[in-house]
């Protein structure tokens, strides 16, 4: 007599639920740019969404508490001159956000704790090093101020945003880079590329340490993320355009640990990983569902748990870090689903009867403190994230100012209020002071536009001379 054996897992009954309508964010004009990025980034303080805007690129930053209808005149972050393609919150400072754009630059922004009262156009630092559009920004998980960017020039640059300088540049990819993911301690990152190869790169050695041709046989875009065990989880397509997921050991790329076909659809699967629960949430662009899986050490290694389904297709998705979830409700994940004109939070919950803190659901998680300085990481040191307990909940710290220490063009761009710090404001009439501030601001804007124009002309001249040569 046979008896079915049910796999034991505390996450087997995780269920997804949309929040009430008034807790969502309405009247957001989500960007329509054709780029396979999530268009959304979220942390325990803020929600950021890339939006449609005329005359350049912009994104919206809202405090999480500011739910409901968003005023159509709500101030945007408007520093880029081309459409914004990707945004990423700094894991070590909830007020610092990186963005990248078709204008060939990446920018780092300091977002004030309060709601914006006017458009924010002055980034803390501008990172200029790519010759084509920049499509990916990704913060280092454990080192302070280390940011990675990847562009359509097939170049990967690792920056120290505290000085505005590029530390490492890698040109090992012959084609467009689809995705990049750091491992848990930031010693390696993995990439997927249009040449259908999955690569593992050591940035400090500036070399590819492992690669696999066609982990998924289809030609459509792949995605890859590192798991906490050092394995790599991938999504892609079969030769027959069926969507597929895989789990790989980077020390032995010959055979996959697991390979699983899902369905037939054109949407790229964006994976979001919860390292504490070892769970992956798969969100297909254009899908109306979120599938979630648990990764374990027992066969078949990637276990399907369930699917959250809704009626509306998703344009993008944001994934809340574990320190931002509500531990009193046994919430283990929260995703922010982008529709055409709104953002809808979706909670993932483990059903429990007790109101007490559930230690088994919430192991210590990565906190906001960096484990090392950029110089230490560059010299070869590796550190795992500094962990914090969620037992008493997480309270985000107040904003800390990001200072750029290198004297360069970026240092000549502080806010106008700071640039007048040497003037005794009591000695000037208010009307004259206001006029001076406005004049300084206008002069800075003119200088910046001229510098951008010079840079564009130099790039064109360089391309022309290379072509004629």
């Amino acid at each position: 007599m046979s008896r079915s054996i049910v796999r034991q897992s505390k996450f087997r009954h995780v269920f997804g639920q949309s929040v009430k309508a008034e807790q969502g964010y309405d009247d957001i004009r989500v960007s329509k740019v054709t780029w396979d990025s999530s268009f959304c980034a979220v942390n325990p303080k803020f929600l950021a969404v890339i939006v449609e805007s005329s005359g350049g690129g912009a994104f919206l930053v809202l405090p999480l508490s500011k739910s409901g209808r968003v005023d159509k005149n709500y101030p945007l972050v408007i520093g880029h001159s081309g459409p914004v393609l990707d945004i990423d919150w700094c894991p070590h400072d909830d007020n610092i956000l990186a963005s990248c754009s078709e204008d060939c630059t990446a920018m780092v922004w300091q977002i004030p704790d309060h709601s914006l009262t006017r458009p924010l156009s002055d980034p803390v630092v501008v990172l200029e090093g790519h010759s084509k559009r920049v499509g990916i920004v990704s913060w280092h998980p454990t080192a302070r101020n280390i940011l990675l960017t990847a562009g359509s020039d097939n170049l990967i640059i690792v920056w120290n945003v505290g000085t505005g300088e590029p530390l490492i540049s890698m040109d090992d990819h012959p084609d467009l880079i689809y995705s990049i993911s750091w491992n848990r301690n930031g010693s390696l990152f993995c990439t997927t590329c249009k040449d259908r190869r999955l690569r593992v790169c050591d940035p400090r050695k500036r070399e590819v340490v492992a690669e696999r041709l066609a982990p998924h046989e289809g030609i459509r875009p792949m995605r890859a993320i590192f798991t906490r065990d050092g394995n790599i989880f991938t999504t892609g397509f079969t030769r027959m355009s069926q969507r597929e997921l895989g789990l790989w050991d980077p020390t032995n790329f010959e055979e996959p640990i697991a390979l699983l076909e899902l369905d037939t659809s054109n949407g790229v699967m964006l994976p979001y990983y919860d390292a504490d629960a070892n769970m992956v949430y798969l969100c297909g662009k254009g899908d109306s569902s979120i599938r979630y899986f648990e990764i374990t050490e027992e066969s078949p290694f990637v276990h399907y748990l369930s699917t959250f389904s809704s009626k509306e297709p998703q344009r993008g998705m944001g994934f809340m870090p574990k320190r931002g979830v509500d531990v009193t409700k046994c919430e283990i994940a929260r995703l922010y689903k982008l529709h055409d004109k709104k953002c809808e939070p979706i909670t993932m919950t483990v059903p429990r009867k007790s109101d007490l803190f559930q230690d088994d659901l919430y192991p210590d998680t990565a906190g906001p403190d960096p484990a090392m300085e950029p110089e230490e990481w560059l010299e070869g040191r590796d550190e795992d994230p500094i962990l914090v307990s969620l037992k008493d909940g997480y309270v985000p710290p107040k904003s800390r100012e990001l200072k750029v220490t290198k004297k360069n063009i970026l240092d000549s761009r502080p806010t106008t209020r700071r640039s007048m710090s040497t003037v005794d404001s009591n000695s000037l009439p208010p009307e004259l002071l206001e006029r001076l501030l406005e004049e300084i601001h206008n002069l800075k804007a003119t200088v910046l536009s001229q510098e951008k124009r010079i840079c564009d002309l130099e790039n064109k001249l360089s391309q022309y001379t290379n072509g004629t040569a």
Side-chain angles (χ1 to χ4, degrees):
M1 189 169 66
S2 64
R3 186 174 63 177
S4 61
I5 299 173
V6 177
R7 186 180 68 90
Q8 293 297 312
S9 170
K10 51 182 172 277
F11 302 113
R12 200 156 53 88
H13 299 292
V14 171
F15 67 95
Q17 192 172 23
S18 299
V19 301
K20 294 177 182 176
E22 60 268 20
Q23 293 175 300
Y25 307 84
D26 294 325
D27 283 356
I28 298 174
R29 295 175 301 148
V30 179
S31 174
K32 292 182 171 59
V33 66
T34 54
W35 187 256
D36 285 327
S37 115
S38 57
F39 292 161
C40 179
V42 64
N43 70 16
K45 279 188 180 181
F46 297 104
L47 168 71
V49 180
I50 301 173
V51 295
E52 285 287 293
S53 71
S54 55
F59 54 92
L60 172 74
V61 179
L62 293 169
L64 287 186
S65 58
K66 197 174 178 62
S67 55
R69 187 175 293 252
V70 179
D71 191 318
K72 65 178 181 180
N73 295 318
Y74 190 86
L76 302 175
V77 183
I78 55 170
H80 287 287
S81 60
V84 177
L85 300 178
D86 195 19
I87 49 178
D88 192 27
W89 287 105
C90 177
H92 308 127
D93 189 331
D94 289 337
N95 294 73
I96 298 295
L97 177 73
S99 63
C100 62
S101 163
E102 285 192 3
D103 65 6
C104 308
T105 68
M107 296 183 180
V108 178
W109 305 86
Q110 177 107 31
I111 307 297
D113 277 331
H114 55 78
S115 299
L116 291 176
T117 54
R118 60 180 181 178
L120 183 60
S121 58
D122 284 323
V124 179
V125 64
V126 181
L127 307 174
E128 296 177 308
H130 291 277
S131 59
K132 292 184 179 178
R133 65 182 178 182
V134 187
I136 297 172
V137 284
S138 180
W139 291 95
H140 192 283
T142 61
R144 188 195 307 272
N145 291 347
I146 297 291
L147 179 69
L148 179 151
T149 62
S152 295
D153 52 4
N154 311 332
L155 197 63
I156 295 173
I157 302 178
V158 179
W159 307 80
N160 179 352
V161 300
T163 62
E165 293 176 312
L167 302 176
I168 296 162
S169 182
M170 296 183 66
D171 58 359
D172 301 273
H173 296 72
D175 215 327
L176 180 66
I177 300 163
Y178 286 139
S179 72
I180 293 181
S181 169
W182 292 96
N183 66 352
R184 187 160 173 79
N185 65 7
S187 58
L188 304 170
F189 59 78
C190 64
T191 68
T192 58
C193 180
K194 197 174 180 180
D195 69 353
R196 299 173 59 217
R197 288 182 182 271
L198 167 64
R199 293 175 172 85
V200 179
C201 303
D202 185 329
R204 290 168 298 190
K205 292 181 180 176
R206 293 170 174 78
E207 66 181 22
V208 176
V209 295
E211 65 180 294
R212 157 83 194 203
L213 174 63
H216 302 282
E217 294 184 346
I219 59 172
R220 293 186 54 74
M222 294 184 294
R223 289 289 185 278
I225 52 172
F226 264 109
T227 68
R228 70 183 184 195
D229 306 317
N231 292 328
I232 297 175
F233 182 92
T234 61
T235 65
F237 293 80
T238 67
R239 196 173 292 162
M240 304 301 291
S241 290
Q242 278 196 303
R243 294 197 290 197
E244 191 175 47
L245 62 81
L247 186 65
W248 304 82
D249 178 358
T251 62
N252 180 17
F253 267 146
E254 293 300 316
E255 291 293 329
I257 299 171
L259 202 60
L260 179 65
E261 288 186 9
L262 296 175
D263 59 6
T264 303
S265 178
N266 290 327
V268 174
M269 298 288 275
L270 304 178
Y272 297 92
Y273 180 60
D274 176 358
D276 299 330
N278 217 12
M279 286 175 60
V280 177
Y281 299 84
L282 293 187
C283 310
K285 278 221 162 183
D287 288 7
S288 54
S289 62
I290 301 169
R291 295 179 179 87
Y292 37 105
F293 300 80
E294 184 180 2
I295 300 173
T296 69
E297 294 180 354
E298 60 195 45
S299 180
F301 306 105
V302 180
H303 302 268
Y304 169 74
L305 293 175
S306 188
T307 299
F308 169 81
S309 297
S310 57
K311 294 179 181 177
E312 298 291 326
Q314 54 226 15
R315 296 284 311 282
M317 194 72 68
F319 189 70
M320 174 68 77
K322 185 58 70 78
R323 52 198 167 88
V325 301
D326 188 346
V327 298
T328 62
K329 297 178 180 175
C330 295
E331 179 187 35
I332 60 164
R334 193 184 313 151
L335 297 102
Y336 286 72
K337 174 180 172 179
L338 293 187
H339 300 245
D340 279 337
K341 291 193 175 177
K342 70 174 182 177
C343 178
E344 173 190 26
I346 297 166
T347 63
M348 295 289 175
T349 307
V350 177
R352 292 278 172 97
K353 291 181 180 178
S354 172
D355 291 333
L356 299 175
F357 177 73
Q358 305 293 310
D359 300 77
D360 60 325
L361 296 183
Y362 302 106
D364 289 355
T365 190
D369 294 320
M372 55 187 161
E373 297 301 316
E375 298 79 15
E376 295 174 311
W377 176 77
L378 198 60
E379 288 167 2
R381 184 175 162 192
D382 293 321
E383 292 286 347
D384 284 340
I386 296 175
L387 306 181
V388 295
S389 171
L390 296 178
K391 187 164 187 176
D392 300 317
Y394 173 75
V395 179
K398 289 188 176 180
S399 173
R400 305 187 300 270
E401 187 176 4
L402 173 65
K403 289 186 169 63
V404 179
T405 56
K406 184 175 185 296
K407 184 65 182 172
N408 55 20
I409 181 177
L410 309 169
D411 285 325
S412 66
R413 304 178 63 197
T415 59
T416 37
R417 193 180 301 278
R418 243 178 289 155
S419 65
M420 289 294 290
S421 60
T422 54
V423 179
D424 183 3
S425 57
N426 295 325
S427 65
L428 290 173
E431 300 84 2
L432 178 58
L433 182 62
E434 192 173 333
R435 201 160 58 232
L436 281 170
L437 286 168
E438 187 177 353
E439 202 165 322
I440 290 170
H441 184 75
N442 292 338
L443 281 169
K444 284 186 176 181
T446 306
V447 169
L448 283 173
S449 65
Q450 293 297 329
E451 286 170 346
K452 179 67 180 163
R453 178 69 180 148
I454 290 168
C455 182
D456 290 341
L457 288 172
E458 285 177 343
N459 284 338
K460 285 180 181 176
L461 181 62
S462 174
Q463 289 168 4
Y464 176 76
T465 53
N466 288 339
T468 54

